[in-house]
Amino acid sequence: MAVIPVDIAGRPYEVHVGAGLLAEFVPLCRGKLRKRAVPIVTDRNVHALWGEVIETSLRDNGHEPHWRILPPGEQTKSWDQLAATVNWLLDLEVERGDHVVALGGGVIGDLAGFASAILKRGCRFIQVPTTLLAQVDSSVGGKTAINSPAGKNLVGAFHQPSLVLADLAVLDTLPDRELLAGYAEVVKYGLISDADFFAWCERNGTAMLGGDAALREYAVSHSVAAKARIVAMDELETSGQRALLNLGHTFGHALEAETGYSARLLHGEAVALGMVLAARYSARRELMPVASADRIADHFAKAGMRAELAELGLDCSGRDLVAHMLHDKKMDAGTLPFLLMKGIGRTYMDREVPLDEVAAFLDVELLRGAAS
Ligand code: GLY
């Protein structure tokens, strides 16, 4: 098992990465569960697969689990589910020093985390992420949110968990498509600032996705360590380092918006395409070689992901996609900061990207497959 510290001033915590952690849930919590009753927020799918394992650990150690089992899917990150979850925690008389357990993927982590952030002005919570994406990204760093009619993750808070338990065994029950979508966020750490890790992904990504246990532990713990370093430097995304974690997200969010935030394009799939587009746009501006951008696209394609915008078959223009970007929560006084690359592992923020040029670039990319 790997233990990665997240050194946030005043609120440090650990991320544990290893196989079989759920069965050891209570001992790993090391006294954080201070009452007999333990509130757990999860979704139906995760509960069916892993509820019994965590329930056994709790009951064997004298605790009584209280389950809140929500519908799976993005629509659960709503005001209604937030209000109902907060009222449920109030009914359970959860106090500020108590811990709520978030057992699930990003949706559950975000919802339960936000409920914990506002319950009595903040109670504690433990993240138990059950998707690769949640293990390497959303469970670490304290971003919590719900969606609103105006867009995704527009209402939320920074609220750090007290502990993150990333059990690699849960990845065995994850659908392949979800695993691949999470892999985009693993590769992201290489593209941001770690060319050696990108090369590691090129060498080992297929075997890791195929189930190699040692490679999985390395991929998850290396990714978490990268995220922990960035979050410790810039917890609230104010000094620029944390914003680098949004590589691929501006293009990706536009694609998610255009596809209606539907199963047609999962978030991680949009991020993979978004990173390819960021790389190709960087190459078009002669910031990095075209061959490096092609290398990134090739890697995602070899892993089994869509790596070309044209493969989505969108019926829209570059200008339509740019219009979605203007609703991005990263908009800042009328400008939209873009994360571009000076090379693999050399991501930086550019605040002066002309949106007309981005729209023209996207027009070319929308047709790239058709032209060849
Ligand atoms: N997922 C990006 C961040 O946590 O900042």
Side-chain angles (χ1 to χ4, degrees):
M1 181 175 74
V3 180
I4 299 126
V6 187
D7 288 321
I8 302 228
R11 274 158 296 128
Y13 57 94
E14 290 177 345
V15 182
H16 294 227
V17 177
L21 305 192
L22 284 186
E24 296 300 315
F25 178 69
V26 174
L28 287 169
C29 287
R30 294 204 192 150
K32 289 186 171 56
L33 307 175
R34 53 185 203 159
K35 293 185 184 153
R36 186 172 148 71
V38 177
I40 311 175
V41 183
T42 190
D43 74 30
R44 265 198 310 274
N45 294 343
V46 175
H47 184 256
L49 289 165
W50 296 103
E52 201 175 321
V53 180
I54 210 163
E55 170 126 6
T56 303
S57 178
L58 285 164
R59 289 201 184 280
D60 286 353
N61 287 280
H63 291 286
E64 187 188 351
H66 290 266
W67 291 96
R68 179 157 183 80
I69 303 169
L70 299 170
E74 193 67 34
Q75 68 285 354
T76 289
K77 274 173 60 172
S78 66
W79 284 105
D80 285 352
Q81 292 290 10
L82 176 72
T85 301
V86 169
N87 286 332
W88 174 75
L89 292 170
L90 291 171
D91 288 346
L92 287 175
E93 299 185 3
V94 171
E95 297 172 347
R96 297 172 83 177
D98 295 339
H99 284 79
V100 176
V101 180
L103 172 69
V107 166
I108 292 298
D110 277 9
L111 179 87
F114 190 31
S116 305
I118 58 177
L119 185 93
K120 300 183 179 174
R121 298 205 180 95
C123 72
R124 308 310 313 146
F125 82 115
I126 296 171
Q127 288 270 24
V128 188
T130 60
T131 62
L132 180 57
L133 191 143
Q135 292 188 349
V136 299
D137 182 27
S138 60
S139 67
V140 180
K143 279 190 179 174
T144 71
I146 57 165
N147 303 327
S148 84
K152 256 180 86 172
N153 294 333
L154 291 183
V155 181
F158 287 97
H159 186 56
Q160 300 293 338
S162 308
L163 175 70
V164 182
L165 298 177
D167 186 344
L168 299 171
V170 304
L171 302 181
D172 295 335
T173 55
L174 201 62
D176 286 347
R177 191 175 169 204
E178 294 269 355
L179 193 68
L180 269 176
Y183 181 60
E185 301 277 4
V186 172
V187 175
K188 185 182 79 176
Y189 294 107
L191 298 181
I192 291 173
S193 61
D194 189 347
D196 288 346
F197 186 56
F198 179 71
W200 183 93
C201 291
E202 289 181 307
R203 287 194 306 277
N204 300 296
T206 307
M208 189 281 288
L209 290 163
D212 184 293
L215 295 177
R216 279 191 178 176
E217 179 161 332
Y218 183 78
V220 175
S221 53
H222 192 88
S223 300
V224 168
K227 177 142 191 191
R229 271 194 303 277
I230 292 174
V231 167
M233 284 189 285
D234 182 15
E235 181 190 0
L236 305 180
E237 205 167 308
T238 45
S239 67
Q241 289 107 322
R242 186 162 185 165
L244 298 179
L245 293 171
N246 296 324
L247 176 62
H249 285 61
T250 299
F251 286 109
H253 279 316
L255 303 181
E256 284 183 279
E258 184 62 28
T259 49
Y261 296 101
S262 66
R264 199 171 149 199
L265 186 67
L266 303 181
H267 174 68
E269 295 171 333
V271 169
L273 278 167
M275 291 191 292
V276 171
L277 290 170
R280 289 243 165 88
Y281 181 66
S282 301
R284 180 177 159 132
R285 293 187 65 180
E286 300 185 354
L287 292 164
M288 75 182 217
V290 173
S292 299
D294 288 344
R295 193 175 147 199
I296 298 168
D298 285 352
H299 180 58
F300 284 124
K302 277 189 190 125
M305 300 183 82
R306 285 175 292 200
E308 301 297 343
L309 176 56
E311 287 176 57
L312 283 185
L314 298 179
D315 182 18
C316 70
S317 66
R319 198 161 287 282
D320 295 331
L321 293 175
V322 166
H324 292 304
M325 293 178 186
L326 299 179
H327 301 293
D328 197 298
K329 65 181 171 310
K330 295 183 284 302
M331 281 294 289
D332 184 19
T335 63
L336 182 57
F338 273 78
L339 294 168
L340 302 181
M341 285 180 239
K342 292 183 178 161
I344 289 174
R346 295 178 62 208
T347 294
Y348 76 103
M349 183 183 285
D350 191 323
R351 294 185 176 275
E352 313 230 320
V353 172
L355 292 178
D356 284 352
E357 191 182 289
V358 173
F361 159 75
L362 288 169
D363 281 334
V364 174
E365 291 299 314
L366 282 159
L367 294 175
R368 180 183 278 269
S372 58

